[in-house]
Amino acid sequence: MQRVFITGASSGIGAALAQYYAGQGAALGLVARRQDVLEQLRAGLSHPERHRLYALDVNDHAALTAAAEDFIAAGGGADVVVASAGISQGTLTEHAEDQQVFEQVFATNVLATVATFTPFIATMKRQAQAGQRDLRLVGVASVAGIRGLPGAGAYSGSKAAVISYCESLRVELRASGIKVVTIVPGYIDTPMTQVNHYKMPFLMPAPRFAAKAGAAVARGSSYQVIPWQMGVVAKLLRLLPNWLYDLAFSKAPHKARKTKG
């Protein structure tokens, strides 16, 4: 039985992954802020008695560490750790009040990813030394982190940081027996994208995304863009010279800001 710990589990990608792994027979540790929503999620999962709930804010690193330690103690270790908690908000640097939004987005999307992985690594190394295989740390990034999108400096910057951080960690842990997997979603049909008022090419249902992400994690893929069409688009965007990229995206629609300046 796989032991899978997932942050951001109450909705969107996190909830879809919880449903996927529960369907695979895994025992889950589910992290989100609201206990009632977690309980509702668990009630709809296969074998609800197997799953442990941790109602906390991922920016409370002490609480996150305590949850990780409880999950390890209850199951005797962990096989897959998925840092999927994330927030998205439009930002404009020219507005001083958006500074706080930048800080919130980076704290949740980047620093909480680090805080999610940290308490598991020593235990997973011991598991690997004991001969266990298929150990995974999974960071959820975004195609928005491949090139900076206007009006999304916080989100694009944070997801670019997740991509680079996971790459650094992957190399650090290369000889440990733990594989680091970077999942890079395109547009997935979740509450986060449902507020977007612009065209979202190759929009994918969350359950289908979860199945493809789960398969990539099982393979130990180092980096996987889902859906694959967005991977092609991302590669093409990286090839564009800056002047052409700037021209093409200078009038791209902006995600709504939290505050108005």
Side-chain angles (χ1 to χ4, degrees):
M1 186 190 304
Q2 273 196 316
R3 299 154 295 185
V4 182
F5 188 87
I6 303 172
T7 67
S10 63
S11 67
I13 285 174
L17 288 170
Q19 291 159 356
Y20 169 80
Y21 278 110
Q24 299 293 307
L28 307 180
L30 302 174
V31 176
R33 287 177 295 177
R34 294 177 54 187
Q35 181 75 26
D36 59 334
V37 178
L38 283 172
E39 289 176 354
Q40 185 178 15
L41 171 66
R42 179 169 63 180
L45 297 178
S46 303
H47 303 288
E49 73 282 356
R50 294 180 180 174
H51 314 312
R52 303 178 74 83
L53 307 182
Y54 303 100
L56 59 90
D57 188 326
V58 291
N59 293 310
D60 184 344
H61 298 171
L64 189 54
T65 296
E69 291 173 347
D70 178 80
F71 184 73
I72 290 168
D79 303 296
V80 179
V81 179
V82 184
S84 65
I87 57 175
S88 176
Q89 194 69 57
T91 48
L92 291 173
T93 302
E94 66 193 82
H95 294 286
E97 61 268 29
D98 283 10
Q99 176 68 33
Q100 184 178 6
V101 180
F102 271 90
E103 292 172 2
Q104 291 170 341
V105 171
F106 270 81
T108 302
N109 294 1
V110 184
L111 300 182
T113 295
V114 178
T116 298
F117 293 158
T118 298
F120 286 99
I121 291 176
T123 295
M124 294 175 84
K125 280 185 174 181
R126 288 192 291 270
Q127 291 173 232
Q129 290 167 358
Q132 188 176 339
R133 303 177 63 185
D134 301 326
L135 301 169
R136 307 284 190 262
L137 297 175
V138 183
V140 179
S142 169
V143 292
I146 294 172
R147 294 212 71 158
L149 297 175
Y155 188 69
S156 286
S158 69
K159 291 304 185 178
V162 169
I163 292 170
S164 292
Y165 162 68
C166 287
E167 184 164 61
S168 295
L169 185 62
R170 185 181 76 236
V171 178
E172 291 169 12
L173 296 179
R174 183 175 181 272
S176 72
I178 305 168
K179 290 189 176 181
V180 178
V181 178
T182 306
I183 299 295
V184 185
Y187 290 114
I188 311 302
D189 189 8
T190 67
M192 184 181 288
T193 59
Q194 287 163 7
V195 300
N196 293 341
H197 301 295
Y198 47 81
K199 186 177 180 181
M200 294 179 285
F202 313 117
L203 182 68
M204 176 178 280
R208 185 179 176 198
F209 165 84
K212 290 185 175 296
V217 171
R219 291 193 303 270
S221 301
S222 60
Y223 180 94
Q224 184 71 51
V225 180
I226 304 171
W228 67 266
Q229 295 95 329
M230 287 302 293
V232 174
V233 171
K235 288 181 179 179
L236 293 174
L237 288 177
R238 286 306 312 167
L239 293 174
L240 288 181
N242 287 347
W243 70 267
L244 184 54
Y245 176 80
D246 294 354
L247 179 64
F249 280 81
S250 61
K251 295 184 180 180
H254 291 196
K255 195 174 188 73
R257 293 171 57 237
K258 186 176 182 179
T259 57
K260 301 295 183 182

